[in-house]
Amino acid sequence: MTETFEALLIRAKDNPKASLAELSLSDLPDLPVLVRVDYSSLNYKDGLSVTGKGRIARRFPMVPGIDIAGTVVESASEAFKPGDRVIANGNGMSETEWGAYSAYQRVRPEWLMPQPEGLTQKQAMAIGTAGYTAALCVNQLLAWGSLSTEDGKVLVTGAAGGVGSYAVALLASLGFSVTASTGRPETHDYLRQLGASDFIDRRELSEAGKPLQAERWTGAVDSVGSTTLANVLAQTVYGGAVTACGLAGGPDLPATVMPHILRSVALIGVDSVMAPKKRREAAWRLLQTQLSSEQIALATEGEVALKDLPQAAEDILAGKVRGRIVVKVS
Ligand code: NDP
């Protein structure tokens, strides 16, 4: 093990842009499991942390990065031993807990899951929080029971982004007819290869519409929020459900209760950060069983090193990243 190693560090509240730093093991938090971080991923939330444009960190200094695929080096927990391959998603990393963008990190055993069987570390991080959140959403829609492979369409908004790409792939693999809403027509071929069968321009959903509109969707995965989510709710069929997990278009929700009280439409909120273990495991099982390696490869736009993350973070916030970028940490 080298004495010092590379990390990305947000130094202080009034200096919130992350930059490269040399850390040593004694700088890391005093937590039970030391992990060598092999791979991570770049999510929208990571873009907000690394650029300092979103107030994600609530403790300083902070190592950002919400996804870890790593190898246990030392463990004071009986649940893990040196050499175990593990993953972690969320759990306050980047907010109050130091996260993935450090060649070594100390974490709590409760945050760790064994690396999902059948997936490489790189694949697990190409999926990362984006895929895991998409899977949480899809499991909620399946539990609601309004989707049908026989008739009706399911909508995915922000389709060419990370959550959107994996929602399209999972829903299509399960046999549903998927409509992808995107503002990037150049991604239609990509989304078709992932499994989308129809497309709408995201502008169709971004302008304020009537409280009740023509019924189009048996269910939806929305990572955009704001007017888009309000329109999606207004276009959902009687008894359908919409999962809301993101705010790429804004955190507001300019909607009425009409779809809920006249069409029994459900709005299901999905959080990945503090999701209970059973839901996490079910989500990763869905990803393991439904995603093909071709779909994962398609959704992986590229791989960057820690030093390239500040630029990649700007790119994801500017909506320039398709699918997911993997981060090679050590
Ligand atoms: P990405 O940046 O990869 O994808 C977001 C997509 O949203 C973009 O690719 C774009 O899709 C669309 N979009 C961006 N800006 C706008 C806009 N102004 N109006 C309409 N659509 C827009 O982000 P992620 O997939 O990583 O995350 C998506 C959202 O989900 C984020 O808000 C993130 O914070 C949230 N999230 C929440 C989680 C939770 O636990 N609840 C977990 C993971 C993510 P296109 O180019 O196709 O139009």
Side-chain angles (χ1 to χ4, degrees):
M1 204 185 303
T2 48
E3 262 173 31
T4 60
F5 49 87
E6 207 172 46
L8 217 56
L9 197 67
I10 301 169
R11 289 176 164 80
K13 193 175 182 176
D14 58 0
N15 180 14
K17 255 191 181 181
S19 55
L20 280 180
E22 287 281 314
L23 297 182
S24 60
L25 289 181
S26 60
D27 295 318
L28 298 180
D30 184 17
L31 294 176
V33 188
L34 175 66
V35 173
R36 188 187 70 223
V37 183
D38 301 311
Y39 285 96
S40 182
S41 62
L42 174 66
N43 297 278
Y44 190 84
K45 185 172 177 178
D46 299 316
L48 292 172
S49 311
V50 170
T51 58
K53 289 182 178 163
R55 302 245 163 237
I56 306 295
R58 283 182 272 134
R59 194 160 74 77
F60 301 90
M62 172 58 65
V63 173
I66 62 172
D67 286 317
I68 289 178
T71 309
V72 173
V73 178
E74 288 168 11
S75 175
S77 156
E78 285 187 359
F80 297 97
K81 58 177 192 321
D84 285 352
R85 289 285 172 98
V86 288
I87 62 164
N89 312 106
N91 284 300
M93 289 191 289
S94 291
E95 299 175 35
T96 52
E97 311 288 349
W98 277 21
Y101 300 155
S102 170
Y104 292 89
Q105 193 53 276
R106 286 207 191 91
V107 298
R108 293 186 194 283
E110 311 84 91
W111 305 348
L112 296 173
M113 282 175 52
Q115 183 179 317
E117 242 172 73
L119 294 176
T120 64
Q121 287 185 307
K122 191 173 167 182
Q123 285 174 320
M125 289 297 98
I127 296 170
T129 287
Y132 148 61
T133 303
L136 288 171
C137 291
V138 171
N139 275 341
Q140 291 285 37
L141 290 180
L142 294 176
W144 182 256
S146 63
L147 305 188
S148 159
T149 52
E150 305 297 311
D151 56 21
K153 291 178 186 302
V154 50
L155 175 70
V156 175
T157 64
V163 174
S165 293
Y166 282 105
V168 167
L170 286 171
L171 288 162
S173 295
L174 288 162
F176 301 112
S177 174
V178 183
T179 299
S181 167
T182 177
R184 291 183 273 176
E186 66 276 19
T187 63
H188 286 190
D189 278 349
Y190 158 72
L191 289 165
R192 198 174 283 112
Q193 287 178 68
L194 283 180
S197 48
D198 284 300
F199 301 93
I200 59 171
D201 189 308
R202 79 184 194 196
R203 280 174 302 192
E204 265 191 54
L205 296 170
S206 65
E207 295 198 353
K210 290 185 179 159
L212 287 176
Q213 300 171 31
E215 296 176 45
R216 300 174 78 180
W217 323 114
T218 54
V221 173
D222 176 62
S223 58
V224 174
S226 193
T227 325
T228 297
L229 176 56
N231 282 320
V232 173
L233 290 166
Q235 295 173 4
T236 297
V237 303
Y238 192 101
V242 178
T243 54
C245 69
L247 41 56
D252 58 329
L253 181 53
T256 75
V257 297
M258 302 305 257
H260 310 296
I261 66 172
L262 295 179
R263 289 183 182 163
S264 284
V265 169
L267 173 58
I268 305 174
V270 171
D271 164 63
S272 65
V273 177
M274 302 310 285
K277 194 168 178 218
K278 269 195 174 167
R279 280 204 182 160
R280 286 174 186 266
E281 288 171 348
W284 278 102
R285 262 198 310 280
L286 186 76
L287 293 159
Q288 278 172 287
T289 53
Q290 295 302 326
L291 289 180
S292 66
S293 45
E294 289 78 16
Q295 284 171 316
I296 301 172
L298 267 170
T300 312
E301 190 172 35
E303 182 178 311
V304 297
L306 284 184
K307 69 173 174 42
D308 307 319
L309 263 178
Q311 182 55 50
E314 296 285 351
D315 291 346
I316 193 169
L317 295 189
K320 291 183 190 161
V321 174
R322 194 188 80 179
R324 195 80 315 169
I325 286 179
V326 171
V327 184
K328 179 86 183 90
V329 183
S330 63

